[in-house]
Amino acid sequence: MPQYLKDDKNLLSPTGRIKHAAQIMSNTRPPRNAWDPNNDFPSGLNDIINKGLSFFKKPSADGNPRNIFIIIVLLLLGVAAWSSIYTIPSDSVAVVQRFGKYLKEVPSGLHLKLPFGIDSALIVPVKRQLKQEFGFKTPGATDPYQSAPGNNGHQETQMVTGDLNAALVEWVVQYRVSDPSKFLFEVRNPSQTLRYVSESVMREVVGDRTVDEVITIGRQEIESEALIKMQTLSTKYAMGISIDQVQLKNINPPRPVQESFNEVNQAQQEKEKLINEARRDYNKVIPLALGEKDQRIREADGYRLKRINEAEGDVARFNALLTEYSKAPQVTRRRIYLETMEKVLPNIKSKVIIDTATNNILPLLNLDSGSITMKQGAQK
């Protein structure tokens, strides 16, 4: 080590060496490349520069490495790179905040942000259908607001109907995050607020109906009305939530009267069954009888029209013959006779033709039919 370094104890520290080097450089010519072998720096300055470069390479007297500064710089660079890169799943978007203030929304994929907590990204699942359960719990659920905390699930189901009866109502609300900025910043704990809104609306809707409607025939109307009212309140409170479906699960009376209600339900179901069977028989027999009635009426109308047309045709034919007969009686009489015989004779199997001029005839034996047939001609 040079003598001037030994004489000055301040030069033994890194800070002292840097100050001493700056003082020397201020009294010399403009700085040059310290690594140029042709430079003409003073030998003392070269020693200082070389000592400064090797300071971080050699271990200190207590064994600690001198390159701790380089390690810290590398760590800071690694932390900066790690904190500036983030990935968003395909079913989500990220809400970016800068120093806690809303900045923008970014879609799914790989993105960059300012490191060291300057920018922060909150991932919101906007394409995933979320649900809240009332009165029961699904094992393995990761959402803390999916079911009631503690043992409050049984209290949520206890409701009073419009006819002052009690009922245990279980239902499910399925929803999506439609506006991430409103979901995060407009309402505190929007999922918990949705539970309060859903419970309030369901109690209102159930309280407008009788217990029979709630348990039996009014389920679909309750679901539709509750869905509309929940969506209206969610929009009014700017929760950034879209209600997809409200589905009723189990609706039971209180346990002390549950058996009696089950018997009433069974009797009502039996009643509905008998009514449906009677309607089935009615729909099977009545249309058949109506069809037969229409068929008989059409047949009677057809026969009536047939007889009327035949009578009118016979009258018209007789009038036409009478007209022709009045013009030529002999000719018409003979033509009628011939036409009549033309129709009658083909229907007679056995024919006996006798000359009218014959005075005596012999009896004829009809061997075909097994009887004797005898015909005589009329005398003029």
Side-chain angles (χ1 to χ4, degrees):
M1 180 180 294
Q3 185 65 32
Y4 66 90
L5 292 177
K6 296 180 179 179
D7 296 337
D8 191 353
K9 295 182 180 180
N10 292 328
L11 296 179
L12 295 178
S13 62
T15 305
R17 293 180 183 180
I18 294 174
K19 289 182 179 179
H20 184 73
Q23 184 177 2
I24 294 175
M25 292 177 66
S26 63
N27 297 327
T28 58
R29 291 176 297 179
R32 300 178 183 179
N33 190 356
W35 289 268
D36 187 0
N38 297 323
N39 61 28
D40 52 355
F41 285 138
S43 60
L45 181 59
N46 288 331
D47 292 339
I48 292 173
I49 294 174
N50 292 330
K51 292 294 183 180
L53 292 175
S54 62
F55 174 77
F56 297 103
K57 299 179 180 180
K58 294 181 180 180
S60 61
D62 55 358
N64 293 326
R66 298 286 189 178
N67 58 356
I68 187 67
F69 179 75
I70 297 176
I71 295 175
I72 293 174
V73 171
L74 293 176
L75 288 175
L76 291 177
L77 291 177
V79 171
W82 179 262
S83 61
S84 63
I85 300 174
Y86 64 101
T87 303
I88 305 174
S90 60
D91 61 347
S92 306
V93 297
V95 177
V96 180
Q97 298 173 265
R98 181 162 294 173
F99 296 110
K101 183 180 180 180
Y102 172 79
L103 181 62
K104 60 181 179 178
E105 293 180 10
V106 293
S108 59
L110 184 65
H111 299 276
L112 298 175
K113 60 183 177 65
L114 297 180
F116 303 114
I118 298 176
D119 287 352
S120 60
L122 296 176
I123 298 177
V124 181
V126 295
K127 297 181 180 179
R128 186 188 310 166
Q129 190 177 61
L130 308 174
K131 68 176 180 178
Q132 291 186 351
E133 301 169 340
F134 297 84
F136 64 98
K137 295 181 180 180
T138 300
T142 58
D143 187 358
Y145 297 102
Q146 181 170 330
S147 57
N151 297 323
N152 296 329
H154 182 68
Q155 298 178 358
E156 291 177 341
T157 61
Q158 298 177 357
M159 299 185 185
V160 178
T161 60
D163 54 355
L164 301 181
N165 284 309
L168 303 178
V169 182
E170 298 178 359
W171 74 98
V172 175
V173 177
Q174 296 180 354
Y175 67 97
R176 299 176 187 270
V177 179
S178 58
D179 193 334
S181 61
K182 291 182 180 179
F183 182 78
L184 293 176
F185 307 120
E186 293 292 335
V187 179
R188 180 178 297 176
N189 294 329
S191 299
Q192 185 176 5
T193 304
L194 178 61
R195 292 195 67 88
Y196 296 152
V197 168
S198 177
E199 184 178 354
S200 175
V201 169
M202 189 59 67
R203 292 186 182 276
E204 177 185 357
V205 175
V206 171
D208 293 337
R209 288 166 173 79
T210 63
V211 66
D212 293 334
E213 292 177 345
V214 174
I215 295 178
T216 56
I217 61 176
R219 297 171 64 97
Q220 187 173 2
E221 295 180 359
I222 293 174
E223 292 174 353
S224 300
E225 186 176 353
L227 174 62
I228 295 173
K229 290 186 176 182
M230 289 181 192
Q231 185 61 58
T232 302
L233 289 178
S234 299
T235 304
K236 180 180 179 181
Y237 296 157
M239 298 169 61
I241 290 175
S242 175
I243 309 297
D244 292 339
Q245 186 180 9
V246 177
Q247 184 178 6
L248 293 176
K249 292 297 185 180
N250 296 325
I251 302 178
N252 298 313
R255 290 184 177 87
V257 296
Q258 191 167 1
E259 294 182 0
S260 299
F261 268 89
N262 292 335
E263 293 177 359
V264 173
N265 290 334
Q266 291 177 359
Q268 188 168 3
Q269 292 175 1
E270 186 68 22
K271 169 188 171 183
E272 295 293 334
K273 177 182 177 181
L274 295 175
I275 291 175
N276 293 331
E277 291 178 354
R279 288 178 178 174
R280 181 194 62 190
D281 296 338
Y282 174 86
N283 294 330
K284 180 179 179 181
V285 174
I286 298 301
L288 181 60
L290 293 176
E292 293 179 354
K293 180 192 74 172
D294 293 338
Q295 181 181 2
R296 298 288 180 84
I297 292 173
R298 293 192 189 95
E299 290 178 355
D301 289 339
Y303 182 75
R304 177 179 62 85
L305 294 176
K306 176 183 176 183
R307 297 298 298 170
I308 291 173
N309 293 332
E310 289 178 352
E312 291 177 352
D314 292 340
V315 171
R317 179 173 175 275
F318 180 79
N319 291 331
L321 289 175
L322 181 60
T323 303
E324 296 297 329
Y325 182 79
S326 61
K327 293 180 181 179
Q330 296 295 332
V331 176
T332 303
R333 186 185 300 113
R334 186 172 183 82
R335 182 173 62 82
I336 293 173
Y337 174 77
L338 294 176
E339 291 177 355
T340 304
M341 297 304 295
E342 184 180 0
K343 294 179 180 179
V344 173
L345 291 177
N347 297 326
I348 300 174
K349 296 181 179 180
S350 299
K351 305 177 184 64
V352 178
I353 301 174
I354 300 174
D355 188 3
T356 57
T358 304
N359 294 327
N360 298 317
I361 61 172
L362 296 175
L364 299 177
L365 178 62
N366 189 355
L367 299 178
D368 295 333
S369 60
S371 61
I372 300 173
T373 302
M374 181 177 179
K375 294 191 179 291
Q376 290 181 333
Q379 300 291 333
K380 287 187 178 181

